[in-house]
Amino acid sequence: MLWSKVEALTRKEIEDMQLERLKYIVNYAYEKVPFYRQAFDRINLSPGDINSLKDIEKIPFTTKDDLRDNYPYGMFAVPMKDVVRIHASSGTTGRPTVVGYTRKDLDTWSELVARIAFMAGAREHDIAQISFGYGLFTGALGLHYGLERIGAAVVPVSSGNTERQINLMRDFGTTVLVSTPSYAMYMAEVSEEMGVRREDIRLRLGLFGAEGSTKEMRNELEKRWGITATENYGLSEIIGPGVSGECDEKDGMHIAEDHFLAEIIDPETGRKLDFGEKGELVITTLTKEALPLLRYRTRDITSLNPEPCRCGRTLLRMSTVEGRSDDMLIIRGVNVFPSQIESVLMNIKGVGPHYEIVVTKKGYLDELTVNVELADGEMLDEYRRLEELNAIIRQKLKTVLQIDAKVNLVEPRSLARFEGKARRVRDLRK
Ligand code: DLL
């Protein structure tokens, strides 16, 4: 079942709609945002030069630095009297990225989150526990209003206080869990420790997002909770959650193409890549009022699939994000994504889903260390089995990454747990 007819338009229909909206938004951004006027004027580009979807390639990219340079409201296209909500993403360094919404933007946002939640299987009879942190982060309020729009009963518990989360989940009969995948994993562990029985929990669906997770990690979440685990994607700059999400086929995340035009580029050269090719996702907002962004570089690495889905939807699907281009580690000259390491670990029996990646420098040489928790702590007493397991992991990592890694098998529950976005990489080289 579709939430909206737009989800099953033909490619021609969706592209016609996109072109019309693209022309409008380019004009709008040029007229209302000095940053864009200058960027166009600098290269002698006029909004009237955009007459086909391909013409978008004439437009320069927008980056996170542009938003930071215009902190806080410099890229807004409307006066503050028309802004009704502000969010921000903290980032690890420097100024936060500030985003604004008009009333219409909020309406679009709720609609798009409703769409991805419905697509994943959420319905009006559901009880949805939002375990994202409420605040400037777009995750909690985004899912909150989207799920309300579907008619689900929203429980705005926020993140943290994990035992309480589990108690509420049991007592309130939560059926849909909204959180990061890493927090859902942590919650599963706490629930097991509390001795909560499966039959006392009614959870059936996970809406997971805001950070990368491998298919293997989501399979593990399905097993532990006895649920369907879906993932969805978004970023504050573009709107927050609601940019794309999986349907119940769980074979790529359908992009809301009526509101966002997606491209894939080579992050090194900026050259546009074809369907199926892996590169950096670039998004143009087609309908945003407060903060229109043209060709925004998300830094997220993915690919696009135009094949209609078995679910009947025709919206482009983006693959699970492999990582952010700025998360990519270069170790002894080799590109390594943390997600590759996660995939390897999740396929090995005997280790759990909690791990940490540490990169150091010894002399001139980079060293990669992977700390991973044993599933069963008793193994620590059996030197030979430990050595065998360690050798297997090292060998599999080497096959996938092409470099040697040091592996430490550590006690269950000894590594950090996360209530929001996980931070699994420590790069100590700088
Ligand atoms: O994380 C928006 C969101 C909230 C999406 C809740 C889904 C659910 P930011 O805090 O601005 O916004 O972070 C955006 O998070 O550029 C990606 O690098 C990463 N990210 C978000 N969803 C996924 C995902 C929200 N499904 C940044 N897979 C993005 C991988 C994701 N990375």
Side-chain angles (χ1 to χ4, degrees):
M1 223 187 341
L2 301 180
W3 175 257
S4 123
K5 278 195 285 224
V6 176
E7 296 167 71
L9 296 180
T10 63
R11 195 106 297 273
K12 166 95 173 58
E13 285 167 329
I14 195 83
E15 287 181 356
D16 286 350
M17 178 191 280
Q18 286 187 319
L19 178 58
E20 189 186 319
R21 292 182 172 185
L22 176 65
K23 286 192 205 161
Y24 173 81
I25 204 75
V26 166
N27 216 27
Y28 176 80
Y30 183 84
E31 293 297 330
K32 309 277 184 186
V33 186
F35 169 86
Y36 281 117
R37 178 176 290 258
Q38 286 155 18
F40 274 56
D41 289 351
R42 206 175 299 131
I43 56 170
N44 268 324
L45 182 68
S46 142
D49 296 334
I50 308 300
N51 294 305
S52 68
L53 288 181
K54 185 155 176 40
D55 285 340
I56 197 172
E57 291 171 48
K58 297 176 182 165
I59 301 173
F61 297 116
T62 309
T63 65
K64 203 178 183 80
D65 283 339
D66 295 328
L67 284 165
R68 292 219 177 100
D69 293 346
N70 290 283
Y71 175 85
Y73 307 138
M75 303 266 292
F76 285 15
V78 297
M80 287 315 279
K81 75 171 178 45
D82 295 333
V83 172
V84 296
R85 177 89 67 78
I86 290 170
H87 280 281
S89 71
S90 49
T92 39
T93 49
R95 294 166 166 175
T97 310
V98 181
V99 300
Y101 302 76
T102 63
R103 204 169 290 287
K104 178 166 162 254
D105 291 335
L106 285 187
D107 185 61
T108 307
W109 190 19
S110 301
E111 182 63 19
L112 294 185
V113 174
R115 186 191 287 177
I116 57 124
F118 190 87
M119 200 185 286
R123 294 293 181 269
E124 60 186 2
H125 51 71
D126 276 308
I127 298 170
Q129 181 162 337
I130 313 259
S131 305
F132 280 136
Y134 279 70
L136 288 175
F137 175 51
T138 53
L141 286 173
L143 268 298
H144 181 113
Y145 288 108
L147 282 156
E148 277 190 2
R149 182 165 290 208
I150 286 182
V154 169
V155 185
V157 49
S158 200
S159 69
N161 206 339
T162 308
E163 287 196 13
R164 176 164 161 266
Q165 299 262 0
I166 306 296
N167 286 329
L168 290 183
M169 184 182 281
R170 184 192 53 215
D171 298 349
F172 288 12
T174 300
T175 54
V176 174
L177 175 63
V178 175
S179 70
T180 58
S182 53
Y183 192 38
M185 190 59 83
Y186 178 31
M187 287 169 78
E189 186 176 64
V190 172
S191 167
E192 280 157 28
E193 279 170 9
M194 288 167 67
V196 175
R197 292 175 314 174
R198 254 300 172 79
E199 58 267 33
D200 293 335
I201 296 275
R202 289 182 53 211
L203 207 62
R204 62 174 193 86
L205 175 65
L207 297 177
F208 301 128
E211 68 180 8
S213 60
T214 54
K215 184 82 193 154
E216 290 86 351
M217 183 67 87
R218 294 192 299 282
N219 288 343
E220 182 69 22
L221 283 169
E222 296 198 324
K223 257 200 347 241
R224 296 228 176 169
W225 281 113
I227 58 171
T228 299
T230 63
E231 82 157 328
N232 62 86
Y233 166 89
L235 61 166
S236 322
E237 299 90 306
I238 296 303
I239 202 159
V243 174
S244 66
E246 282 182 331
C247 62
D248 50 14
E249 296 288 339
K250 295 186 283 185
D251 189 15
M253 297 181 277
H254 291 281
I255 299 176
E257 286 187 274
D258 45 338
H259 296 273
F260 309 115
L261 200 158
E263 303 171 79
I264 298 288
I265 61 161
D266 177 334
E268 303 292 323
T269 62
R271 187 175 63 85
K272 189 161 172 160
L273 301 179
D274 286 333
F275 287 141
E277 290 187 292
K278 208 185 292 173
E280 177 177 346
L281 178 67
V282 169
I283 299 180
T284 298
T285 65
L286 296 173
T287 57
K288 281 264 291 296
E289 288 184 338
L291 184 62
L293 291 178
L294 306 181
R295 302 195 88 199
Y296 185 72
R297 292 188 61 157
T298 65
R299 297 190 278 186
D300 295 317
I301 305 296
T302 181
S303 61
L304 299 178
N305 175 3
E307 292 299 313
C309 181
R310 284 184 299 270
C311 71
R313 290 180 183 80
T314 51
L315 296 174
L316 282 185
R317 280 174 283 166
M318 59 183 266
S319 61
T320 283
V321 173
E322 180 165 331
R324 291 175 69 82
S325 51
D326 35 2
D327 282 348
M328 190 182 75
L329 297 161
I330 302 183
I331 301 175
R332 281 174 245 148
V334 178
N335 297 348
V336 173
F337 276 112
S339 59
Q340 295 176 293
I341 296 175
E342 180 173 303
S343 281
V344 168
L345 296 176
M346 295 298 300
N347 280 314
I348 292 175
K349 249 199 150 116
V351 294
H354 302 281
Y355 64 94
E356 177 186 51
I357 299 165
V358 187
V359 194
T360 49
K361 208 169 188 94
K362 217 176 189 174
Y364 288 104
L365 210 60
D366 299 327
E367 279 204 332
L368 169 66
T369 306
V370 178
N371 299 323
V372 57
E373 286 183 10
L374 288 164
D376 172 8
E378 294 196 345
M379 210 194 215
L380 282 169
D381 300 328
E382 299 179 53
Y383 183 77
R384 242 193 54 207
R385 277 180 66 205
L386 271 185
E387 278 302 298
E388 275 167 18
L389 183 56
N390 198 306
I392 293 173
I393 301 175
R394 280 198 321 262
Q395 196 258 321
K396 294 214 163 139
L397 285 173
K398 173 132 199 191
T399 312
V400 172
L401 308 176
Q402 314 295 328
I403 51 170
D404 285 310
K406 202 171 145 213
V407 173
N408 294 318
L409 294 166
V410 302
E411 235 173 293
R413 302 271 349 206
S414 60
L415 297 176
R417 297 293 187 266
F418 305 97
E419 296 174 348
K421 301 190 191 225
R423 289 175 308 279
R424 299 194 202 271
V425 180
R426 282 193 292 144
D427 191 342
L428 307 174
R429 286 175 296 185
K430 284 145 212 157

PDB file of all heavy atoms in Angstrom, residues 61 264-273 278-282 297 299 301 324-326 328 330 335 337:
ATOM      1  N   PHE A  61      28.446  23.421  -6.487  1.00  0.00           N
ATOM      2  CA  PHE A  61      28.011  22.698  -5.290  1.00  0.00           C
ATOM      3  C   PHE A  61      27.873  23.641  -4.104  1.00  0.00           C
ATOM      4  O   PHE A  61      28.508  24.689  -4.055  1.00  0.00           O
ATOM      5  CB  PHE A  61      29.044  21.631  -4.917  1.00  0.00           C
ATOM      6  CG  PHE A  61      29.202  20.565  -5.961  1.00  0.00           C
ATOM      7  CD1 PHE A  61      30.403  20.406  -6.634  1.00  0.00           C
ATOM      8  CD2 PHE A  61      28.146  19.722  -6.266  1.00  0.00           C
ATOM      9  CE1 PHE A  61      30.554  19.417  -7.593  1.00  0.00           C
ATOM     10  CE2 PHE A  61      28.283  18.726  -7.227  1.00  0.00           C
ATOM     11  CZ  PHE A  61      29.489  18.579  -7.900  1.00  0.00           C
ATOM     12  N   ILE A 264      24.775  11.467  -7.875  1.00  0.00           N
ATOM     13  CA  ILE A 264      25.971  10.858  -7.294  1.00  0.00           C
ATOM     14  C   ILE A 264      27.166  11.428  -8.038  1.00  0.00           C
ATOM     15  O   ILE A 264      27.175  11.478  -9.266  1.00  0.00           O
ATOM     16  CB  ILE A 264      25.965   9.320  -7.468  1.00  0.00           C
ATOM     17  CG1 ILE A 264      24.774   8.697  -6.747  1.00  0.00           C
ATOM     18  CG2 ILE A 264      27.279   8.704  -6.983  1.00  0.00           C
ATOM     19  CD1 ILE A 264      24.864   8.697  -5.245  1.00  0.00           C
ATOM     20  N   ILE A 265      28.156  11.880  -7.271  1.00  0.00           N
ATOM     21  CA  ILE A 265      29.357  12.421  -7.917  1.00  0.00           C
ATOM     22  C   ILE A 265      30.606  11.706  -7.408  1.00  0.00           C
ATOM     23  O   ILE A 265      30.588  11.097  -6.339  1.00  0.00           O
ATOM     24  CB  ILE A 265      29.530  13.941  -7.664  1.00  0.00           C
ATOM     25  CG1 ILE A 265      29.682  14.224  -6.153  1.00  0.00           C
ATOM     26  CG2 ILE A 265      28.365  14.731  -8.245  1.00  0.00           C
ATOM     27  CD1 ILE A 265      30.289  15.572  -5.845  1.00  0.00           C
ATOM     28  N   ASP A 266      31.651  11.807  -8.172  1.00  0.00           N
ATOM     29  CA  ASP A 266      32.956  11.371  -7.717  1.00  0.00           C
ATOM     30  C   ASP A 266      33.441  12.423  -6.715  1.00  0.00           C
ATOM     31  O   ASP A 266      33.588  13.596  -7.070  1.00  0.00           O
ATOM     32  CB  ASP A 266      33.895  11.309  -8.933  1.00  0.00           C
ATOM     33  CG  ASP A 266      35.310  10.928  -8.538  1.00  0.00           C
ATOM     34  OD1 ASP A 266      35.704  11.188  -7.385  1.00  0.00           O
ATOM     35  OD2 ASP A 266      36.017  10.386  -9.404  1.00  0.00           O
ATOM     36  N   PRO A 267      33.662  12.027  -5.451  1.00  0.00           N
ATOM     37  CA  PRO A 267      34.005  13.039  -4.446  1.00  0.00           C
ATOM     38  C   PRO A 267      35.331  13.732  -4.720  1.00  0.00           C
ATOM     39  O   PRO A 267      35.572  14.838  -4.237  1.00  0.00           O
ATOM     40  CB  PRO A 267      34.056  12.254  -3.126  1.00  0.00           C
ATOM     41  CG  PRO A 267      34.049  10.818  -3.487  1.00  0.00           C
ATOM     42  CD  PRO A 267      33.539  10.674  -4.894  1.00  0.00           C
ATOM     43  N   GLU A 268      36.195  13.092  -5.499  1.00  0.00           N
ATOM     44  CA  GLU A 268      37.488  13.721  -5.806  1.00  0.00           C
ATOM     45  C   GLU A 268      37.344  14.779  -6.890  1.00  0.00           C
ATOM     46  O   GLU A 268      37.818  15.900  -6.748  1.00  0.00           O
ATOM     47  CB  GLU A 268      38.499  12.669  -6.313  1.00  0.00           C
ATOM     48  CG  GLU A 268      38.749  11.518  -5.349  1.00  0.00           C
ATOM     49  CD  GLU A 268      39.489  11.990  -4.098  1.00  0.00           C
ATOM     50  OE1 GLU A 268      40.357  12.866  -4.241  1.00  0.00           O
ATOM     51  OE2 GLU A 268      39.178  11.480  -2.993  1.00  0.00           O
ATOM     52  N   THR A 269      36.678  14.410  -7.985  1.00  0.00           N
ATOM     53  CA  THR A 269      36.661  15.294  -9.151  1.00  0.00           C
ATOM     54  C   THR A 269      35.362  16.094  -9.283  1.00  0.00           C
ATOM     55  O   THR A 269      35.312  17.064 -10.036  1.00  0.00           O
ATOM     56  CB  THR A 269      36.779  14.459 -10.446  1.00  0.00           C
ATOM     57  OG1 THR A 269      35.633  13.590 -10.517  1.00  0.00           O
ATOM     58  CG2 THR A 269      38.032  13.615 -10.446  1.00  0.00           C
ATOM     59  N   GLY A 270      34.312  15.674  -8.602  1.00  0.00           N
ATOM     60  CA  GLY A 270      33.040  16.362  -8.743  1.00  0.00           C
ATOM     61  C   GLY A 270      32.258  15.923  -9.974  1.00  0.00           C
ATOM     62  O   GLY A 270      31.156  16.388 -10.222  1.00  0.00           O
ATOM     63  N   ARG A 271      32.820  14.980 -10.733  1.00  0.00           N
ATOM     64  CA  ARG A 271      32.151  14.521 -11.955  1.00  0.00           C
ATOM     65  C   ARG A 271      30.916  13.703 -11.592  1.00  0.00           C
ATOM     66  O   ARG A 271      30.924  12.925 -10.656  1.00  0.00           O
ATOM     67  CB  ARG A 271      33.126  13.653 -12.763  1.00  0.00           C
ATOM     68  CG  ARG A 271      32.625  13.233 -14.133  1.00  0.00           C
ATOM     69  CD  ARG A 271      33.744  12.490 -14.877  1.00  0.00           C
ATOM     70  NE  ARG A 271      34.134  11.258 -14.189  1.00  0.00           N
ATOM     71  CZ  ARG A 271      33.514  10.090 -14.349  1.00  0.00           C
ATOM     72  NH1 ARG A 271      32.491   9.971 -15.173  1.00  0.00           N
ATOM     73  NH2 ARG A 271      33.921   9.021 -13.690  1.00  0.00           N
ATOM     74  N   LYS A 272      29.864  13.908 -12.390  1.00  0.00           N
ATOM     75  CA  LYS A 272      28.621  13.190 -12.122  1.00  0.00           C
ATOM     76  C   LYS A 272      28.752  11.716 -12.517  1.00  0.00           C
ATOM     77  O   LYS A 272      29.272  11.397 -13.578  1.00  0.00           O
ATOM     78  CB  LYS A 272      27.496  13.838 -12.919  1.00  0.00           C
ATOM     79  CG  LYS A 272      26.155  13.298 -12.535  1.00  0.00           C
ATOM     80  CD  LYS A 272      25.055  14.212 -12.967  1.00  0.00           C
ATOM     81  CE  LYS A 272      23.748  13.497 -12.714  1.00  0.00           C
ATOM     82  NZ  LYS A 272      22.645  14.404 -12.653  1.00  0.00           N
ATOM     83  N   LEU A 273      28.288  10.815 -11.667  1.00  0.00           N
ATOM     84  CA  LEU A 273      28.386   9.385 -11.945  1.00  0.00           C
ATOM     85  C   LEU A 273      27.021   8.821 -12.341  1.00  0.00           C
ATOM     86  O   LEU A 273      25.984   9.443 -12.110  1.00  0.00           O
ATOM     87  CB  LEU A 273      28.931   8.631 -10.722  1.00  0.00           C
ATOM     88  CG  LEU A 273      30.317   9.069 -10.236  1.00  0.00           C
ATOM     89  CD1 LEU A 273      30.735   8.273  -9.002  1.00  0.00           C
ATOM     90  CD2 LEU A 273      31.356   8.887 -11.340  1.00  0.00           C
ATOM     91  N   LYS A 278      29.160   3.976  -7.339  1.00  0.00           N
ATOM     92  CA  LYS A 278      29.257   4.424  -5.967  1.00  0.00           C
ATOM     93  C   LYS A 278      29.964   5.768  -5.880  1.00  0.00           C
ATOM     94  O   LYS A 278      31.003   5.956  -6.507  1.00  0.00           O
ATOM     95  CB  LYS A 278      30.068   3.382  -5.197  1.00  0.00           C
ATOM     96  CG  LYS A 278      29.725   3.326  -3.742  1.00  0.00           C
ATOM     97  CD  LYS A 278      30.633   2.374  -3.001  1.00  0.00           C
ATOM     98  CE  LYS A 278      30.430   0.917  -3.390  1.00  0.00           C
ATOM     99  NZ  LYS A 278      31.467   0.074  -2.735  1.00  0.00           N
ATOM    100  N   GLY A 279      29.417   6.679  -5.125  1.00  0.00           N
ATOM    101  CA  GLY A 279      30.061   7.979  -4.972  1.00  0.00           C
ATOM    102  C   GLY A 279      29.328   8.798  -3.919  1.00  0.00           C
ATOM    103  O   GLY A 279      28.553   8.259  -3.120  1.00  0.00           O
ATOM    104  N   GLU A 280      29.575  10.105  -3.942  1.00  0.00           N
ATOM    105  CA  GLU A 280      28.988  10.986  -2.920  1.00  0.00           C
ATOM    106  C   GLU A 280      27.599  11.443  -3.350  1.00  0.00           C
ATOM    107  O   GLU A 280      27.393  11.876  -4.484  1.00  0.00           O
ATOM    108  CB  GLU A 280      29.897  12.197  -2.720  1.00  0.00           C
ATOM    109  CG  GLU A 280      29.337  13.214  -1.724  1.00  0.00           C
ATOM    110  CD  GLU A 280      30.273  14.388  -1.461  1.00  0.00           C
ATOM    111  OE1 GLU A 280      31.467  14.304  -1.831  1.00  0.00           O
ATOM    112  OE2 GLU A 280      29.802  15.383  -0.903  1.00  0.00           O
ATOM    113  N   LEU A 281      26.678  11.353  -2.427  1.00  0.00           N
ATOM    114  CA  LEU A 281      25.310  11.800  -2.685  1.00  0.00           C
ATOM    115  C   LEU A 281      25.243  13.328  -2.628  1.00  0.00           C
ATOM    116  O   LEU A 281      25.742  13.950  -1.683  1.00  0.00           O
ATOM    117  CB  LEU A 281      24.381  11.191  -1.630  1.00  0.00           C
ATOM    118  CG  LEU A 281      22.911  11.574  -1.693  1.00  0.00           C
ATOM    119  CD1 LEU A 281      22.259  11.008  -2.947  1.00  0.00           C
ATOM    120  CD2 LEU A 281      22.179  11.056  -0.451  1.00  0.00           C
ATOM    121  N   VAL A 282      24.632  13.898  -3.662  1.00  0.00           N
ATOM    122  CA  VAL A 282      24.450  15.351  -3.733  1.00  0.00           C
ATOM    123  C   VAL A 282      22.947  15.589  -3.865  1.00  0.00           C
ATOM    124  O   VAL A 282      22.287  14.941  -4.676  1.00  0.00           O
ATOM    125  CB  VAL A 282      25.201  15.910  -4.959  1.00  0.00           C
ATOM    126  CG1 VAL A 282      24.811  17.357  -5.228  1.00  0.00           C
ATOM    127  CG2 VAL A 282      26.707  15.803  -4.760  1.00  0.00           C
ATOM    128  N   ARG A 297      26.421  18.928  -1.037  1.00  0.00           N
ATOM    129  CA  ARG A 297      27.280  17.739  -0.907  1.00  0.00           C
ATOM    130  C   ARG A 297      27.099  17.120   0.465  1.00  0.00           C
ATOM    131  O   ARG A 297      27.514  17.694   1.469  1.00  0.00           O
ATOM    132  CB  ARG A 297      28.736  18.132  -1.133  1.00  0.00           C
ATOM    133  CG  ARG A 297      28.997  18.535  -2.590  1.00  0.00           C
ATOM    134  CD  ARG A 297      30.451  18.732  -2.864  1.00  0.00           C
ATOM    135  NE  ARG A 297      31.197  17.499  -2.634  1.00  0.00           N
ATOM    136  CZ  ARG A 297      32.375  17.248  -3.200  1.00  0.00           C
ATOM    137  NH1 ARG A 297      32.934  18.124  -4.009  1.00  0.00           N
ATOM    138  NH2 ARG A 297      33.008  16.113  -2.933  1.00  0.00           N
ATOM    139  N   ARG A 299      28.384  14.334   1.573  1.00  0.00           N
ATOM    140  CA  ARG A 299      29.579  13.584   1.977  1.00  0.00           C
ATOM    141  C   ARG A 299      29.278  12.105   2.258  1.00  0.00           C
ATOM    142  O   ARG A 299      30.154  11.350   2.654  1.00  0.00           O
ATOM    143  CB  ARG A 299      30.273  14.234   3.182  1.00  0.00           C
ATOM    144  CG  ARG A 299      30.765  15.629   2.806  1.00  0.00           C
ATOM    145  CD  ARG A 299      31.653  16.207   3.845  1.00  0.00           C
ATOM    146  NE  ARG A 299      30.863  16.779   4.917  1.00  0.00           N
ATOM    147  CZ  ARG A 299      31.374  17.464   5.928  1.00  0.00           C
ATOM    148  NH1 ARG A 299      32.671  17.640   6.000  1.00  0.00           N
ATOM    149  NH2 ARG A 299      30.601  17.973   6.850  1.00  0.00           N
ATOM    150  N   ILE A 301      28.491   8.323   1.162  1.00  0.00           N
ATOM    151  CA  ILE A 301      28.831   7.491   0.003  1.00  0.00           C
ATOM    152  C   ILE A 301      27.769   6.411  -0.212  1.00  0.00           C
ATOM    153  O   ILE A 301      27.499   5.605   0.688  1.00  0.00           O
ATOM    154  CB  ILE A 301      30.221   6.815   0.200  1.00  0.00           C
ATOM    155  CG1 ILE A 301      31.295   7.856   0.496  1.00  0.00           C
ATOM    156  CG2 ILE A 301      30.581   5.983  -1.026  1.00  0.00           C
ATOM    157  CD1 ILE A 301      31.574   8.853  -0.610  1.00  0.00           C
ATOM    158  N   ARG A 324      30.750   8.063   5.503  1.00  0.00           N
ATOM    159  CA  ARG A 324      30.917   9.443   5.056  1.00  0.00           C
ATOM    160  C   ARG A 324      32.305   9.560   4.462  1.00  0.00           C
ATOM    161  O   ARG A 324      33.231   8.922   4.951  1.00  0.00           O
ATOM    162  CB  ARG A 324      30.789  10.396   6.245  1.00  0.00           C
ATOM    163  CG  ARG A 324      29.395  10.475   6.792  1.00  0.00           C
ATOM    164  CD  ARG A 324      29.377  11.341   8.041  1.00  0.00           C
ATOM    165  NE  ARG A 324      29.622  12.736   7.749  1.00  0.00           N
ATOM    166  CZ  ARG A 324      28.690  13.576   7.333  1.00  0.00           C
ATOM    167  NH1 ARG A 324      27.461  13.150   7.159  1.00  0.00           N
ATOM    168  NH2 ARG A 324      28.971  14.832   7.095  1.00  0.00           N
ATOM    169  N   SER A 325      32.411  10.409   3.444  1.00  0.00           N
ATOM    170  CA  SER A 325      33.737  10.517   2.849  1.00  0.00           C
ATOM    171  C   SER A 325      34.731  10.987   3.914  1.00  0.00           C
ATOM    172  O   SER A 325      35.893  10.635   3.880  1.00  0.00           O
ATOM    173  CB  SER A 325      33.722  11.445   1.638  1.00  0.00           C
ATOM    174  OG  SER A 325      33.114  12.653   1.980  1.00  0.00           O
ATOM    175  N   ASP A 326      34.251  11.720   4.914  1.00  0.00           N
ATOM    176  CA  ASP A 326      35.195  12.139   5.958  1.00  0.00           C
ATOM    177  C   ASP A 326      35.370  11.099   7.070  1.00  0.00           C
ATOM    178  O   ASP A 326      36.167  11.280   7.973  1.00  0.00           O
ATOM    179  CB  ASP A 326      34.844  13.527   6.535  1.00  0.00           C
ATOM    180  CG  ASP A 326      33.375  13.805   6.615  1.00  0.00           C
ATOM    181  OD1 ASP A 326      32.593  12.917   6.253  1.00  0.00           O
ATOM    182  OD2 ASP A 326      33.003  14.915   7.031  1.00  0.00           O
ATOM    183  N   MET A 328      36.084   8.022   6.081  1.00  0.00           N
ATOM    184  CA  MET A 328      36.939   7.045   5.445  1.00  0.00           C
ATOM    185  C   MET A 328      38.343   7.166   6.017  1.00  0.00           C
ATOM    186  O   MET A 328      38.885   8.259   6.107  1.00  0.00           O
ATOM    187  CB  MET A 328      36.967   7.273   3.936  1.00  0.00           C
ATOM    188  CG  MET A 328      37.630   6.154   3.194  1.00  0.00           C
ATOM    189  SD  MET A 328      37.680   6.507   1.444  1.00  0.00           S
ATOM    190  CE  MET A 328      38.978   7.729   1.396  1.00  0.00           C
ATOM    191  N   ILE A 330      42.297   6.402   5.855  1.00  0.00           N
ATOM    192  CA  ILE A 330      43.334   5.983   4.916  1.00  0.00           C
ATOM    193  C   ILE A 330      44.453   5.393   5.750  1.00  0.00           C
ATOM    194  O   ILE A 330      45.090   6.092   6.540  1.00  0.00           O
ATOM    195  CB  ILE A 330      43.830   7.161   4.054  1.00  0.00           C
ATOM    196  CG1 ILE A 330      42.621   7.751   3.314  1.00  0.00           C
ATOM    197  CG2 ILE A 330      44.907   6.696   3.066  1.00  0.00           C
ATOM    198  CD1 ILE A 330      42.951   8.877   2.363  1.00  0.00           C
ATOM    199  N   ASN A 335      42.188   2.760   1.433  1.00  0.00           N
ATOM    200  CA  ASN A 335      40.940   3.333   1.937  1.00  0.00           C
ATOM    201  C   ASN A 335      40.147   2.291   2.719  1.00  0.00           C
ATOM    202  O   ASN A 335      39.869   1.219   2.200  1.00  0.00           O
ATOM    203  CB  ASN A 335      40.058   3.790   0.776  1.00  0.00           C
ATOM    204  CG  ASN A 335      40.727   4.890  -0.022  1.00  0.00           C
ATOM    205  OD1 ASN A 335      41.734   5.444   0.417  1.00  0.00           O
ATOM    206  ND2 ASN A 335      40.169   5.210  -1.173  1.00  0.00           N
ATOM    207  N   PHE A 337      36.638   1.791   5.091  1.00  0.00           N
ATOM    208  CA  PHE A 337      35.421   2.299   5.721  1.00  0.00           C
ATOM    209  C   PHE A 337      35.110   1.472   6.959  1.00  0.00           C
ATOM    210  O   PHE A 337      35.150   0.241   6.904  1.00  0.00           O
ATOM    211  CB  PHE A 337      34.233   2.200   4.764  1.00  0.00           C
ATOM    212  CG  PHE A 337      34.137   3.359   3.831  1.00  0.00           C
ATOM    213  CD1 PHE A 337      34.358   3.206   2.484  1.00  0.00           C
ATOM    214  CD2 PHE A 337      33.819   4.620   4.319  1.00  0.00           C
ATOM    215  CE1 PHE A 337      34.270   4.278   1.623  1.00  0.00           C
ATOM    216  CE2 PHE A 337      33.726   5.706   3.469  1.00  0.00           C
ATOM    217  CZ  PHE A 337      33.950   5.536   2.116  1.00  0.00           C
TER     218      PHE A 337
END
